[in-house]
Amino acid sequence: MDNLTDQIKILEESITKQLPLETQQAFATSILDLKKRMIEHNSIKTGDKMPDFILKDSNGNEVNSKDVLKNGKMLLTFFRGSWCPYCNLELQYLQKHLQLLHEKKVTVVAVSPQKAEHSQSLAAQHNLSFTVVNDVNNKLAKQLGIRFSLQDFVESHYKELGIDLHHFNGNDENTLPVPAVYVVNSDGIISYSFIDADYTNRFDIQQLLKTL
């Protein structure tokens, strides 16, 4: 199945069968609350300048956005963590289409607040061949306007599922990035953006490819 939307539908059917109704309702309320904050409208978007950044990959090597852009365009995808099944699907989807992106001189960089060890496991599990970097404390996400704090009422449900953000991210915060995808031209300008506070919605690869 090549369509990410269809894959997500199958995932949601499985999640609906597995999660308690109370947990499903808490997640839905959390998404509605984030949508009301208008994060998509207040964040950086198409036509804006992407700030320069230097982040470390899962092996501790520095990734400088200026260096990446010397080779062409850069696709930045922000994901919540390896614990997020929707993010896993998206990363696998990008890996599947990586050759197409490379042919258009696009370098993929995945950004997450999680510790390097979790990104290493994620890359190995899904055979990811693109760079995964650690955005410590979601600093870059905050700069772009896509960082948010997980609501208290939903935190307990995360922990019941074994998702402890303090453990995954190595800090005392409960902050996450809204899933977002940006294509940045060699001059640093964003030519494509997808931001949605509803983490169950993901970008359309065909629409993205048309912009390259």
Side-chain angles (χ1 to χ4, degrees):
M1 185 178 296
D2 190 52
N3 188 292
L4 182 57
T5 301
D6 289 340
Q7 293 179 38
I8 288 176
K9 286 181 180 178
I10 293 173
L11 171 63
E12 289 185 321
E13 290 174 0
S14 175
I15 288 176
T16 299
K17 294 177 182 178
Q18 295 178 42
L19 292 183
L21 181 59
E22 182 183 0
T23 299
Q24 294 181 49
Q25 291 174 337
F27 287 172
T29 302
S30 171
I31 290 173
L32 286 174
D33 175 62
L34 292 176
K35 295 294 283 187
K36 289 178 181 178
R37 300 184 194 183
M38 307 290 284
I39 295 173
E40 299 96 331
H41 300 282
N42 297 321
S43 61
I44 194 170
K45 54 183 67 68
T46 302
D48 292 337
K49 179 79 164 59
M50 175 62 68
D52 298 330
F53 63 83
I54 299 176
L55 297 174
K56 290 186 178 181
D57 66 16
S58 56
N59 295 314
N61 302 311
E62 288 189 345
V63 176
N64 189 320
S65 60
K66 290 183 177 179
D67 292 336
V68 174
L69 291 174
K70 289 177 182 177
N71 299 315
K73 298 178 180 179
M74 173 174 59
L75 187 154
L76 274 181
T77 178
F78 285 79
F79 70 101
R80 304 191 303 162
S82 55
W83 50 266
C84 171
Y86 297 92
C87 298
N88 277 262
L89 279 181
E90 179 177 293
L91 295 174
Q92 292 175 70
Y93 194 67
L94 278 171
Q95 178 64 39
K96 185 174 182 178
H97 292 84
L98 196 59
Q99 184 57 41
L100 275 175
L101 293 167
H102 284 171
E103 289 173 1
K104 295 181 178 293
K105 298 187 181 300
V106 177
T107 300
V108 175
V109 178
V111 186
S112 161
Q114 69 183 5
K115 293 187 293 186
E117 61 196 72
H118 301 302
S119 293
Q120 288 174 340
S121 299
L122 175 71
Q125 179 183 356
H126 298 307
N127 296 312
L128 303 181
S129 57
F130 50 80
T131 301
V132 181
V133 297
N134 176 214
D135 182 19
V136 178
N137 298 331
N138 283 292
K139 289 182 180 178
L140 179 58
K142 180 181 180 181
Q143 194 174 2
L144 304 187
I146 60 173
R147 184 177 78 166
F148 71 94
S149 295
L150 188 69
Q151 304 97 329
D152 291 340
F153 70 83
V154 81
E155 182 182 353
S156 61
H157 295 279
Y158 272 58
K159 288 185 176 179
E160 286 175 5
L161 295 172
I163 305 168
D164 185 339
L165 295 184
H166 298 166
H167 165 73
F168 273 98
N169 298 345
N171 58 30
D172 294 327
E173 299 181 352
N174 272 324
T175 62
L176 291 171
V178 167
V181 176
Y182 300 97
V183 174
V184 185
N185 289 329
S186 56
D187 57 3
I189 301 299
I190 299 170
S191 60
Y192 170 90
S193 60
F194 177 90
I195 311 109
D196 197 325
D198 182 348
Y199 56 80
T200 67
N201 293 329
R202 299 290 165 148
F203 78 108
D204 182 339
I205 189 70
Q206 297 305 324
Q207 183 181 4
L208 183 151
L209 288 171
K210 289 177 183 178
T211 69
L212 301 177

